[in-house]
Amino acid sequence: MSKATNNIPRAAIHVGAPAKSFSVAEGYEPERRGWDEKTYRLKNQDTNNHYDFSRKHLNFEINGKGEIVPLGSNPVPLHERLQQRLDELGFKPYKDKNNSLGISDNSPNCTVGIIVSGDHRVLTRLAFGDQDVDFTLQKSNAHVQLKQGIKEWALDTYHWACRRWGAENIIGFDVHCDETTPHIHIQTIPVSKTKARGRASVKYVHKDDKSKVLSHKEWKKLPEEIRSNFIRTEVERREKECVSYARVWGEDKYAVGKTYYQMHTDYYNEVGHKYGLERGDDIAMLPGEERRGRVHKSKAVLEAERQAKDAIINAKAEKLRLEQQKDRLVDKTHSIKNQKARMEDKVSQLEDYAAALEIKEEDLVVPPLKTNPLVKKSLDAIQAELEKPIPAFGQKEWREERRKAIKTILTELQTALMQAKEAQKKDILTLGKSLYKKAMKDARTIIEQNKQLQKENHILSAENAGLRKRISSMDENAINNLREQKDAEIERIQKECDRANNHAVRSGNLASKEHQRANEAENQIREMLGIPEIKELWNSIQQNKKAFWQHVDPWIADAKQAIYKFATDYQNAMFTREYANPIGQGILAEALKDGLDASDKEQRKQATRNLLSQVSWEGTTKFMSDLSETRTMQFCEEMTVTRSLMESLLLAAGGRGFTGAGGGGSDNALTNWDGTKKRNGWGVN
């Protein structure tokens, strides 16, 4: 996915594995029951944890009445509330035959834990607003106050959970604001309504007096003439609540996946969109490497990765800013060096004047502007600041310290350069005045030297003209050598062309011979077709071939229709057999039509892409069309198409063997895409 897509704030719902029970310590953790400052420190010894004791007072929970109360207000611990609700429902776990006090491994699952969270920036803004919160655990956050936004988000999530699982089946709804990102722990019991066992009870009601109601036995004891005064009625079996993970979440992994998919959609429609949280990404839509990585990553690891990515982005931005500041400093240094060079040129001219006037060398001594040590010292200091490591936490303070340090270094450098420049300017001005007085006396000497230089210039001009003539003659020799090389290259290419023409003539002769052989073979085929038995066999082959190809386009059309139907079916997130059968046949048919070998994985994927390119997505959403393409490519990768199957199909396409509407004429037991065996000639169900 693109970066733009990844930067969209999204909701996150993590459903834990179903359990038969949980320990007392596991129940104490979401309620922070009995946690003190020492407990927080012990928890933070794991580098993935960031529990902030100074924010413990911000945690809250929502009780069974829908009221917001401080976390841990319920005097009954979570594990006891679980047992109380199971007793109300009459749930009895299977006992271990070897241990009457233990629960058997095959006992039904009776509780599910769910964590609801979302984008870090959105939820921290709802919880803390614009308050300064230190997430590095280096400073106390006791001053932070909880905002109303996080409470409204929690209440909306609570009402959504009650509508979905029932308020009486939510035994814990705890909101944590003392970790990196605010989130909710929901502990539920999967409860479903089912009819009581046994037959429906039969009652007999008197026609005139509805208060007279008899059971079946009582009615049977009445005389025959009186029975007709009663009307038979059946009372339906009453419904009762029972604990059932399969009825609530799904009987197999496909049904559970469908429930998860619909749960994310419902949460976005009812809660997420109100707070700017988009629907979470379907893991099947992620790249393969990221999908495999997320399956085995805990929330703490993902949160640490997010913080590391933010730290890297901030560090890169800070580095870019410092490099720009460094470039400005380097430019300023170059400007100072250029200014120094100009000053040195002026000093050199003054030295020439002094030499012409026979001025003593000690009179020309001007203290040089020594900027190199100052600039080098500043650059070394700045480099030392830039090389200081960027901490994972406290980056804001780190950047402020570096900025102040570099600003101080530049200020000191500027002050030192201005002082040195002013001192040198005074010395040069004093020296210049004395030199000017002496230079005016003997300027004629300089004029004579200038005349001598002009004579030398004429001599050098003559020598320069001679050198130009020599270079011109050398250029002519180089051109002649190049022309000879090109002529040799042209001759070589001409010889290769002659050889190619000779080869073409020989190839033409061979082609003529092959054409003659083809004509002779065609004449032999005509003679063989003159035999009635062979002609009848040939006609049968052509009819079978025609019949086979008549089924190819309908198979492709059925596959396209199945893919489009899946893209408009918002109830299914995975292929069922209703979709798998026609899509598998369509992929094989498309491979035959395109001349591809479906037993080769890459060629089969190419056939699948060709099939998807023919599907019209009009009337579908971008999300569902992408999901349909992803599911189709996954289904293609999971298919197992044997070489013998493709050979059978190719034989059928060529007319050899019997071809029916249901397959390619192979009687072998083929391997289906899911590993099963079936005699249908396709390798798919």
Side-chain angles (χ1 to χ4, degrees), residues 444-473:
R444 291 181 181 178
T445 305
I446 298 175
I447 295 173
E448 292 295 331
Q449 291 178 353
N450 187 28
K451 292 180 179 180
Q452 184 64 29
L453 290 174
Q454 289 180 355
K455 293 180 181 179
E456 293 179 356
N457 186 31
H458 289 304
I459 297 172
L460 292 174
S461 298
E463 293 179 354
N464 187 23
L467 289 173
R468 286 181 179 178
K469 291 181 179 180
R470 292 180 59 188
I471 291 171
S472 177
S473 62

PDB file of all heavy atoms in Angstrom, residues 444-473:
ATOM      1  N   ARG A 444      57.192  56.532 -11.983  1.00  0.00           N
ATOM      2  CA  ARG A 444      57.790  56.359 -13.305  1.00  0.00           C
ATOM      3  C   ARG A 444      58.451  54.987 -13.424  1.00  0.00           C
ATOM      4  O   ARG A 444      58.477  54.408 -14.508  1.00  0.00           O
ATOM      5  CB  ARG A 444      58.826  57.463 -13.562  1.00  0.00           C
ATOM      6  CG  ARG A 444      58.202  58.841 -13.725  1.00  0.00           C
ATOM      7  CD  ARG A 444      59.260  59.887 -14.012  1.00  0.00           C
ATOM      8  NE  ARG A 444      58.674  61.207 -14.146  1.00  0.00           N
ATOM      9  CZ  ARG A 444      59.382  62.313 -14.358  1.00  0.00           C
ATOM     10  NH1 ARG A 444      60.715  62.226 -14.467  1.00  0.00           N
ATOM     11  NH2 ARG A 444      58.766  63.470 -14.472  1.00  0.00           N
ATOM     12  N   THR A 445      58.990  54.497 -12.310  1.00  0.00           N
ATOM     13  CA  THR A 445      59.639  53.188 -12.356  1.00  0.00           C
ATOM     14  C   THR A 445      58.630  52.105 -12.754  1.00  0.00           C
ATOM     15  O   THR A 445      58.910  51.218 -13.559  1.00  0.00           O
ATOM     16  CB  THR A 445      60.248  52.856 -10.999  1.00  0.00           C
ATOM     17  OG1 THR A 445      61.139  53.918 -10.617  1.00  0.00           O
ATOM     18  CG2 THR A 445      60.973  51.529 -11.029  1.00  0.00           C
ATOM     19  N   ILE A 446      57.447  52.210 -12.235  1.00  0.00           N
ATOM     20  CA  ILE A 446      56.398  51.223 -12.556  1.00  0.00           C
ATOM     21  C   ILE A 446      56.002  51.324 -14.020  1.00  0.00           C
ATOM     22  O   ILE A 446      55.743  50.324 -14.695  1.00  0.00           O
ATOM     23  CB  ILE A 446      55.177  51.439 -11.633  1.00  0.00           C
ATOM     24  CG1 ILE A 446      55.585  51.216 -10.181  1.00  0.00           C
ATOM     25  CG2 ILE A 446      54.023  50.516 -12.011  1.00  0.00           C
ATOM     26  CD1 ILE A 446      54.478  51.517  -9.183  1.00  0.00           C
ATOM     27  N   ILE A 447      56.004  52.594 -14.562  1.00  0.00           N
ATOM     28  CA  ILE A 447      55.641  52.773 -15.971  1.00  0.00           C
ATOM     29  C   ILE A 447      56.670  52.107 -16.871  1.00  0.00           C
ATOM     30  O   ILE A 447      56.339  51.459 -17.870  1.00  0.00           O
ATOM     31  CB  ILE A 447      55.513  54.268 -16.303  1.00  0.00           C
ATOM     32  CG1 ILE A 447      54.337  54.859 -15.504  1.00  0.00           C
ATOM     33  CG2 ILE A 447      55.320  54.484 -17.794  1.00  0.00           C
ATOM     34  CD1 ILE A 447      54.225  56.380 -15.628  1.00  0.00           C
ATOM     35  N   GLU A 448      57.945  52.221 -16.551  1.00  0.00           N
ATOM     36  CA  GLU A 448      58.992  51.580 -17.333  1.00  0.00           C
ATOM     37  C   GLU A 448      58.826  50.052 -17.290  1.00  0.00           C
ATOM     38  O   GLU A 448      59.001  49.361 -18.304  1.00  0.00           O
ATOM     39  CB  GLU A 448      60.379  51.991 -16.802  1.00  0.00           C
ATOM     40  CG  GLU A 448      60.721  53.451 -17.036  1.00  0.00           C
ATOM     41  CD  GLU A 448      60.840  53.764 -18.529  1.00  0.00           C
ATOM     42  OE1 GLU A 448      61.217  52.825 -19.294  1.00  0.00           O
ATOM     43  OE2 GLU A 448      60.547  54.906 -18.928  1.00  0.00           O
ATOM     44  N   GLN A 449      58.508  49.546 -16.129  1.00  0.00           N
ATOM     45  CA  GLN A 449      58.301  48.093 -16.017  1.00  0.00           C
ATOM     46  C   GLN A 449      57.129  47.641 -16.894  1.00  0.00           C
ATOM     47  O   GLN A 449      57.159  46.580 -17.507  1.00  0.00           O
ATOM     48  CB  GLN A 449      58.038  47.709 -14.556  1.00  0.00           C
ATOM     49  CG  GLN A 449      59.248  47.865 -13.650  1.00  0.00           C
ATOM     50  CD  GLN A 449      58.929  47.518 -12.205  1.00  0.00           C
ATOM     51  OE1 GLN A 449      57.780  47.287 -11.872  1.00  0.00           O
ATOM     52  NE2 GLN A 449      59.964  47.505 -11.365  1.00  0.00           N
ATOM     53  N   ASN A 450      56.121  48.511 -17.000  1.00  0.00           N
ATOM     54  CA  ASN A 450      54.957  48.175 -17.827  1.00  0.00           C
ATOM     55  C   ASN A 450      55.337  48.094 -19.291  1.00  0.00           C
ATOM     56  O   ASN A 450      54.862  47.198 -20.023  1.00  0.00           O
ATOM     57  CB  ASN A 450      53.868  49.225 -17.592  1.00  0.00           C
ATOM     58  CG  ASN A 450      52.561  48.845 -18.276  1.00  0.00           C
ATOM     59  OD1 ASN A 450      52.277  47.669 -18.468  1.00  0.00           O
ATOM     60  ND2 ASN A 450      51.779  49.842 -18.638  1.00  0.00           N
ATOM     61  N   LYS A 451      56.209  48.984 -19.771  1.00  0.00           N
ATOM     62  CA  LYS A 451      56.658  48.930 -21.165  1.00  0.00           C
ATOM     63  C   LYS A 451      57.407  47.644 -21.441  1.00  0.00           C
ATOM     64  O   LYS A 451      57.252  47.027 -22.509  1.00  0.00           O
ATOM     65  CB  LYS A 451      57.545  50.143 -21.472  1.00  0.00           C
ATOM     66  CG  LYS A 451      56.789  51.466 -21.476  1.00  0.00           C
ATOM     67  CD  LYS A 451      57.732  52.622 -21.794  1.00  0.00           C
ATOM     68  CE  LYS A 451      56.997  53.946 -21.823  1.00  0.00           C
ATOM     69  NZ  LYS A 451      57.898  55.095 -22.120  1.00  0.00           N
ATOM     70  N   GLN A 452      58.247  47.219 -20.493  1.00  0.00           N
ATOM     71  CA  GLN A 452      59.001  45.984 -20.660  1.00  0.00           C
ATOM     72  C   GLN A 452      58.056  44.785 -20.760  1.00  0.00           C
ATOM     73  O   GLN A 452      58.256  43.867 -21.554  1.00  0.00           O
ATOM     74  CB  GLN A 452      59.970  45.815 -19.479  1.00  0.00           C
ATOM     75  CG  GLN A 452      60.876  44.612 -19.573  1.00  0.00           C
ATOM     76  CD  GLN A 452      61.844  44.694 -20.755  1.00  0.00           C
ATOM     77  OE1 GLN A 452      62.230  45.794 -21.178  1.00  0.00           O
ATOM     78  NE2 GLN A 452      62.215  43.546 -21.298  1.00  0.00           N
ATOM     79  N   LEU A 453      57.017  44.823 -19.971  1.00  0.00           N
ATOM     80  CA  LEU A 453      56.036  43.727 -20.021  1.00  0.00           C
ATOM     81  C   LEU A 453      55.317  43.675 -21.364  1.00  0.00           C
ATOM     82  O   LEU A 453      54.992  42.595 -21.877  1.00  0.00           O
ATOM     83  CB  LEU A 453      55.010  43.890 -18.886  1.00  0.00           C
ATOM     84  CG  LEU A 453      55.532  43.632 -17.459  1.00  0.00           C
ATOM     85  CD1 LEU A 453      54.453  43.976 -16.437  1.00  0.00           C
ATOM     86  CD2 LEU A 453      55.953  42.184 -17.309  1.00  0.00           C
ATOM     87  N   GLN A 454      55.074  44.816 -21.974  1.00  0.00           N
ATOM     88  CA  GLN A 454      54.420  44.841 -23.283  1.00  0.00           C
ATOM     89  C   GLN A 454      55.301  44.190 -24.350  1.00  0.00           C
ATOM     90  O   GLN A 454      54.812  43.464 -25.224  1.00  0.00           O
ATOM     91  CB  GLN A 454      54.086  46.290 -23.673  1.00  0.00           C
ATOM     92  CG  GLN A 454      52.955  46.879 -22.854  1.00  0.00           C
ATOM     93  CD  GLN A 454      52.653  48.310 -23.257  1.00  0.00           C
ATOM     94  OE1 GLN A 454      53.352  48.912 -24.092  1.00  0.00           O
ATOM     95  NE2 GLN A 454      51.599  48.883 -22.653  1.00  0.00           N
ATOM     96  N   LYS A 455      56.595  44.446 -24.286  1.00  0.00           N
ATOM     97  CA  LYS A 455      57.501  43.812 -25.238  1.00  0.00           C
ATOM     98  C   LYS A 455      57.463  42.284 -25.076  1.00  0.00           C
ATOM     99  O   LYS A 455      57.418  41.543 -26.055  1.00  0.00           O
ATOM    100  CB  LYS A 455      58.928  44.333 -25.031  1.00  0.00           C
ATOM    101  CG  LYS A 455      59.114  45.798 -25.389  1.00  0.00           C
ATOM    102  CD  LYS A 455      60.554  46.247 -25.150  1.00  0.00           C
ATOM    103  CE  LYS A 455      60.750  47.721 -25.490  1.00  0.00           C
ATOM    104  NZ  LYS A 455      62.152  48.166 -25.229  1.00  0.00           N
ATOM    105  N   GLU A 456      57.519  41.842 -23.826  1.00  0.00           N
ATOM    106  CA  GLU A 456      57.478  40.405 -23.580  1.00  0.00           C
ATOM    107  C   GLU A 456      56.156  39.803 -24.077  1.00  0.00           C
ATOM    108  O   GLU A 456      56.111  38.676 -24.566  1.00  0.00           O
ATOM    109  CB  GLU A 456      57.646  40.138 -22.088  1.00  0.00           C
ATOM    110  CG  GLU A 456      59.029  40.508 -21.552  1.00  0.00           C
ATOM    111  CD  GLU A 456      59.132  40.259 -20.068  1.00  0.00           C
ATOM    112  OE1 GLU A 456      58.095  39.872 -19.469  1.00  0.00           O
ATOM    113  OE2 GLU A 456      60.231  40.438 -19.494  1.00  0.00           O
ATOM    114  N   ASN A 457      55.093  40.589 -24.001  1.00  0.00           N
ATOM    115  CA  ASN A 457      53.785  40.120 -24.467  1.00  0.00           C
ATOM    116  C   ASN A 457      53.794  39.887 -25.969  1.00  0.00           C
ATOM    117  O   ASN A 457      53.220  38.904 -26.469  1.00  0.00           O
ATOM    118  CB  ASN A 457      52.708  41.127 -24.063  1.00  0.00           C
ATOM    119  CG  ASN A 457      51.302  40.620 -24.382  1.00  0.00           C
ATOM    120  OD1 ASN A 457      51.046  39.421 -24.360  1.00  0.00           O
ATOM    121  ND2 ASN A 457      50.408  41.538 -24.677  1.00  0.00           N
ATOM    122  N   HIS A 458      54.438  40.748 -26.729  1.00  0.00           N
ATOM    123  CA  HIS A 458      54.533  40.567 -28.187  1.00  0.00           C
ATOM    124  C   HIS A 458      55.289  39.284 -28.509  1.00  0.00           C
ATOM    125  O   HIS A 458      54.904  38.532 -29.427  1.00  0.00           O
ATOM    126  CB  HIS A 458      55.229  41.785 -28.832  1.00  0.00           C
ATOM    127  CG  HIS A 458      54.366  43.014 -28.817  1.00  0.00           C
ATOM    128  ND1 HIS A 458      53.100  43.046 -29.362  1.00  0.00           N
ATOM    129  CD2 HIS A 458      54.609  44.269 -28.326  1.00  0.00           C
ATOM    130  CE1 HIS A 458      52.587  44.258 -29.209  1.00  0.00           C
ATOM    131  NE2 HIS A 458      53.494  45.035 -28.574  1.00  0.00           N
ATOM    132  N   ILE A 459      56.358  39.016 -27.777  1.00  0.00           N
ATOM    133  CA  ILE A 459      57.135  37.797 -28.019  1.00  0.00           C
ATOM    134  C   ILE A 459      56.279  36.549 -27.762  1.00  0.00           C
ATOM    135  O   ILE A 459      56.273  35.595 -28.539  1.00  0.00           O
ATOM    136  CB  ILE A 459      58.398  37.804 -27.139  1.00  0.00           C
ATOM    137  CG1 ILE A 459      59.310  38.986 -27.523  1.00  0.00           C
ATOM    138  CG2 ILE A 459      59.143  36.487 -27.241  1.00  0.00           C
ATOM    139  CD1 ILE A 459      60.495  39.183 -26.583  1.00  0.00           C
ATOM    140  N   LEU A 460      55.548  36.573 -26.652  1.00  0.00           N
ATOM    141  CA  LEU A 460      54.696  35.425 -26.317  1.00  0.00           C
ATOM    142  C   LEU A 460      53.585  35.230 -27.339  1.00  0.00           C
ATOM    143  O   LEU A 460      53.193  34.094 -27.648  1.00  0.00           O
ATOM    144  CB  LEU A 460      54.089  35.619 -24.920  1.00  0.00           C
ATOM    145  CG  LEU A 460      55.080  35.550 -23.743  1.00  0.00           C
ATOM    146  CD1 LEU A 460      54.366  35.904 -22.445  1.00  0.00           C
ATOM    147  CD2 LEU A 460      55.689  34.157 -23.656  1.00  0.00           C
ATOM    148  N   SER A 461      53.062  36.322 -27.923  1.00  0.00           N
ATOM    149  CA  SER A 461      52.008  36.211 -28.942  1.00  0.00           C
ATOM    150  C   SER A 461      52.534  35.506 -30.181  1.00  0.00           C
ATOM    151  O   SER A 461      51.833  34.674 -30.791  1.00  0.00           O
ATOM    152  CB  SER A 461      51.481  37.600 -29.304  1.00  0.00           C
ATOM    153  OG  SER A 461      50.892  38.213 -28.174  1.00  0.00           O
ATOM    154  N   ALA A 462      53.788  35.795 -30.568  1.00  0.00           N
ATOM    155  CA  ALA A 462      54.373  35.139 -31.733  1.00  0.00           C
ATOM    156  C   ALA A 462      54.551  33.645 -31.473  1.00  0.00           C
ATOM    157  O   ALA A 462      54.270  32.792 -32.339  1.00  0.00           O
ATOM    158  CB  ALA A 462      55.711  35.789 -32.078  1.00  0.00           C
ATOM    159  N   GLU A 463      55.030  33.325 -30.279  1.00  0.00           N
ATOM    160  CA  GLU A 463      55.178  31.905 -29.945  1.00  0.00           C
ATOM    161  C   GLU A 463      53.821  31.189 -29.937  1.00  0.00           C
ATOM    162  O   GLU A 463      53.702  30.039 -30.369  1.00  0.00           O
ATOM    163  CB  GLU A 463      55.841  31.776 -28.573  1.00  0.00           C
ATOM    164  CG  GLU A 463      57.288  32.256 -28.544  1.00  0.00           C
ATOM    165  CD  GLU A 463      57.895  32.132 -27.157  1.00  0.00           C
ATOM    166  OE1 GLU A 463      57.115  31.782 -26.225  1.00  0.00           O
ATOM    167  OE2 GLU A 463      59.105  32.374 -27.005  1.00  0.00           O
ATOM    168  N   ASN A 464      52.786  31.878 -29.509  1.00  0.00           N
ATOM    169  CA  ASN A 464      51.447  31.286 -29.468  1.00  0.00           C
ATOM    170  C   ASN A 464      50.940  30.972 -30.869  1.00  0.00           C
ATOM    171  O   ASN A 464      50.305  29.937 -31.115  1.00  0.00           O
ATOM    172  CB  ASN A 464      50.486  32.253 -28.751  1.00  0.00           C
ATOM    173  CG  ASN A 464      49.122  31.633 -28.509  1.00  0.00           C
ATOM    174  OD1 ASN A 464      48.983  30.416 -28.466  1.00  0.00           O
ATOM    175  ND2 ASN A 464      48.110  32.472 -28.339  1.00  0.00           N
ATOM    176  N   ALA A 465      51.209  31.843 -31.848  1.00  0.00           N
ATOM    177  CA  ALA A 465      50.782  31.606 -33.225  1.00  0.00           C
ATOM    178  C   ALA A 465      51.456  30.356 -33.782  1.00  0.00           C
ATOM    179  O   ALA A 465      50.837  29.548 -34.500  1.00  0.00           O
ATOM    180  CB  ALA A 465      51.104  32.826 -34.080  1.00  0.00           C
ATOM    181  N   GLY A 466      52.774  30.177 -33.494  1.00  0.00           N
ATOM    182  CA  GLY A 466      53.466  28.977 -33.958  1.00  0.00           C
ATOM    183  C   GLY A 466      52.860  27.709 -33.362  1.00  0.00           C
ATOM    184  O   GLY A 466      52.718  26.683 -34.050  1.00  0.00           O
ATOM    185  N   LEU A 467      52.514  27.760 -32.090  1.00  0.00           N
ATOM    186  CA  LEU A 467      51.894  26.587 -31.463  1.00  0.00           C
ATOM    187  C   LEU A 467      50.552  26.250 -32.109  1.00  0.00           C
ATOM    188  O   LEU A 467      50.198  25.082 -32.275  1.00  0.00           O
ATOM    189  CB  LEU A 467      51.702  26.848 -29.956  1.00  0.00           C
ATOM    190  CG  LEU A 467      52.991  26.872 -29.118  1.00  0.00           C
ATOM    191  CD1 LEU A 467      52.675  27.297 -27.690  1.00  0.00           C
ATOM    192  CD2 LEU A 467      53.639  25.487 -29.124  1.00  0.00           C
ATOM    193  N   ARG A 468      49.777  27.250 -32.509  1.00  0.00           N
ATOM    194  CA  ARG A 468      48.484  27.005 -33.152  1.00  0.00           C
ATOM    195  C   ARG A 468      48.660  26.260 -34.472  1.00  0.00           C
ATOM    196  O   ARG A 468      47.885  25.358 -34.809  1.00  0.00           O
ATOM    197  CB  ARG A 468      47.763  28.327 -33.390  1.00  0.00           C
ATOM    198  CG  ARG A 468      47.182  28.935 -32.115  1.00  0.00           C
ATOM    199  CD  ARG A 468      46.456  30.229 -32.433  1.00  0.00           C
ATOM    200  NE  ARG A 468      45.880  30.804 -31.219  1.00  0.00           N
ATOM    201  CZ  ARG A 468      45.224  31.968 -31.200  1.00  0.00           C
ATOM    202  NH1 ARG A 468      45.092  32.670 -32.338  1.00  0.00           N
ATOM    203  NH2 ARG A 468      44.730  32.417 -30.069  1.00  0.00           N
ATOM    204  N   LYS A 469      49.700  26.636 -35.240  1.00  0.00           N
ATOM    205  CA  LYS A 469      49.940  25.949 -36.513  1.00  0.00           C
ATOM    206  C   LYS A 469      50.272  24.477 -36.265  1.00  0.00           C
ATOM    207  O   LYS A 469      49.800  23.592 -36.993  1.00  0.00           O
ATOM    208  CB  LYS A 469      51.086  26.642 -37.252  1.00  0.00           C
ATOM    209  CG  LYS A 469      50.729  28.037 -37.759  1.00  0.00           C
ATOM    210  CD  LYS A 469      51.901  28.658 -38.500  1.00  0.00           C
ATOM    211  CE  LYS A 469      51.551  30.043 -39.020  1.00  0.00           C
ATOM    212  NZ  LYS A 469      52.699  30.673 -39.748  1.00  0.00           N
ATOM    213  N   ARG A 470      51.104  24.210 -35.287  1.00  0.00           N
ATOM    214  CA  ARG A 470      51.472  22.822 -34.983  1.00  0.00           C
ATOM    215  C   ARG A 470      50.235  22.006 -34.573  1.00  0.00           C
ATOM    216  O   ARG A 470      50.043  20.853 -34.976  1.00  0.00           O
ATOM    217  CB  ARG A 470      52.512  22.789 -33.864  1.00  0.00           C
ATOM    218  CG  ARG A 470      53.870  23.352 -34.263  1.00  0.00           C
ATOM    219  CD  ARG A 470      54.848  23.276 -33.100  1.00  0.00           C
ATOM    220  NE  ARG A 470      55.028  21.907 -32.649  1.00  0.00           N
ATOM    221  CZ  ARG A 470      55.703  21.561 -31.562  1.00  0.00           C
ATOM    222  NH1 ARG A 470      56.265  22.505 -30.816  1.00  0.00           N
ATOM    223  NH2 ARG A 470      55.819  20.298 -31.223  1.00  0.00           N
ATOM    224  N   ILE A 471      49.361  22.608 -33.742  1.00  0.00           N
ATOM    225  CA  ILE A 471      48.143  21.898 -33.305  1.00  0.00           C
ATOM    226  C   ILE A 471      47.240  21.607 -34.492  1.00  0.00           C
ATOM    227  O   ILE A 471      46.615  20.546 -34.588  1.00  0.00           O
ATOM    228  CB  ILE A 471      47.408  22.741 -32.243  1.00  0.00           C
ATOM    229  CG1 ILE A 471      48.235  22.779 -30.956  1.00  0.00           C
ATOM    230  CG2 ILE A 471      46.019  22.190 -31.953  1.00  0.00           C
ATOM    231  CD1 ILE A 471      47.703  23.751 -29.916  1.00  0.00           C
ATOM    232  N   SER A 472      47.131  22.547 -35.461  1.00  0.00           N
ATOM    233  CA  SER A 472      46.291  22.346 -36.643  1.00  0.00           C
ATOM    234  C   SER A 472      46.775  21.155 -37.460  1.00  0.00           C
ATOM    235  O   SER A 472      45.977  20.332 -37.933  1.00  0.00           O
ATOM    236  CB  SER A 472      46.282  23.618 -37.492  1.00  0.00           C
ATOM    237  OG  SER A 472      45.529  23.422 -38.671  1.00  0.00           O
ATOM    238  N   SER A 473      48.103  21.037 -37.648  1.00  0.00           N
ATOM    239  CA  SER A 473      48.637  19.910 -38.411  1.00  0.00           C
ATOM    240  C   SER A 473      48.387  18.589 -37.683  1.00  0.00           C
ATOM    241  O   SER A 473      48.092  17.556 -38.289  1.00  0.00           O
ATOM    242  CB  SER A 473      50.135  20.111 -38.656  1.00  0.00           C
ATOM    243  OG  SER A 473      50.839  20.149 -37.419  1.00  0.00           O
TER     244      SER A 473
END
